[in-house]
Amino acid sequence: MSQTLTALAAALPLASGWSIHSLWMRRRIESARRDPLTGLLTRDAFADRAVRVLAGGRSAAYVIDLNRFKEINDVHGHAAGDAVIAATGQRLTYWANVNGAIVVRLGGDEFAAVARVLSLADLSWTLSELTDAIEQPVIVDGRSLTVGASIGAVAYDPVTDDVDLSTLLRLADEQMYAAKRSGADWLTALDLTSQSETVNGRREGRSGTTRGTGAAA
């Protein structure tokens, strides 16, 4: 009996050490899957989780681009721009928690999301809520900075629709660009038909696309 107790006592520190190491590794892996400025998912982590959301039932993909961000960077400096991006990340995180969404920072001042929606009316309500959350002023060094957003969205039903995540995000991107040009807060695709020509899998005119070179950002 005493030998058993001695063996258990010797094993406890080792087991505890492995538990701490395992927890540390999980945190390191999770940290690597998140954008350091916003805490939002990176592209690969987003893609893994977004596919599962889409397969689970009616949902929607969103592409979000901030308005007046370049002006803020130019006038107030990059630190103010980083503060705006960080605040937007916090607001998107809150919106995602409320709506069961998955959100990613695509880069710069552009974001994307996938969330379950029950109907087109539900999608419209969600878009209005998202717009209101993003467009609240951001206070930086005592200054109130006004930020807007252009949002494009497309609804998806796994029962009737046969497109992948990349296609949905491209369609949402088209609607975001149309919203930005028209001055609308957000626009939704009427169907899953692309409205603009594609270059290297992306909307023509998109930053980083060059016809004939095979390069895409």
Side-chain angles (χ1 to χ4, degrees), residues 128-156:
S128 296
E129 185 183 54
L130 181 57
T131 300
D132 290 342
I134 294 174
E135 293 188 346
Q136 297 299 315
V138 179
I139 307 301
V140 180
D141 294 332
R143 297 187 299 265
S144 179
L145 304 181
T146 302
V147 181
S150 299
I151 306 173
V154 56
Y156 173 80

Side-chain angles (χ1 to χ4, degrees), residues 66 69 85 105-111:
L66 299 185
F69 179 73
I85 294 297
R105 182 187 179 197
L106 295 176
D109 62 334
E110 189 172 60
F111 306 83

Side-chain angles (χ1 to χ4, degrees), residues 6-213:
T6 301
L8 286 173
L12 282 175
L14 181 61
S16 177
W18 274 111
S19 296
I20 293 171
H21 179 72
S22 177
L23 177 61
W24 177 80
M25 285 296 295
R26 287 198 298 270
R27 287 178 175 174
R28 285 289 301 272
I29 292 170
E30 181 64 18
S31 177
R33 291 164 67 86
R34 292 192 177 273
D35 173 61
L37 183 56
T38 63
L40 297 174
L41 294 173
T42 59
R43 288 174 182 252
D44 288 344
F46 168 77
D48 290 343
R49 301 185 189 187
V51 167
R52 292 198 292 269
V53 173
L54 293 171
R58 290 182 178 179
S59 48
Y62 310 75
V63 169
I64 304 144
D65 190 84
L66 299 185
N67 298 330
R68 297 184 292 277
F69 179 73
K70 184 178 184 302
E71 176 185 332
I72 289 173
N73 255 343
D74 291 345
V75 174
H76 301 287
H78 291 290
D82 285 349
V84 167
I85 294 297
T88 301
Q90 292 174 354
R91 293 166 181 182
L92 288 172
T93 297
Y94 177 80
W95 174 84
N97 290 337
V98 171
N99 292 278
I102 307 297
V103 185
V104 60
R105 182 187 179 197
L106 295 176
D109 62 334
E110 189 172 60
F111 306 83
V114 168
R116 294 290 301 276
V117 294
L118 301 178
S119 64
L120 291 178
D122 185 30
L123 175 57
S124 296
W125 181 85
T126 302
L127 282 163
S128 296
E129 185 183 54
L130 181 57
T131 300
D132 290 342
I134 294 174
E135 293 188 346
Q136 297 299 315
V138 179
I139 307 301
V140 180
D141 294 332
R143 297 187 299 265
S144 179
L145 304 181
T146 302
V147 181
S150 299
I151 306 173
V154 56
Y156 173 80
D157 187 338
V159 176
T160 58
D161 300 329
D162 185 22
V163 295
D164 59 13
L165 174 63
S166 178
T167 299
L168 289 173
L169 291 176
R170 181 163 54 80
L171 293 170
D173 178 72
E174 291 180 0
Q175 295 304 311
M176 179 278 292
Y177 185 61
K180 189 174 287 288
R181 286 189 303 173
S182 67
D185 289 332
W186 50 266
L187 291 173
T188 61
L190 298 177
D191 53 42
L192 298 181
T193 303
S194 178
Q195 302 299 309
S196 63
E197 192 171 352
T198 298
V199 179
N200 299 317
R202 306 187 75 197
R203 166 173 53 80
E204 185 175 17
R206 196 79 161 84
S207 176
T209 57
T210 304
R211 182 175 293 281
T213 66

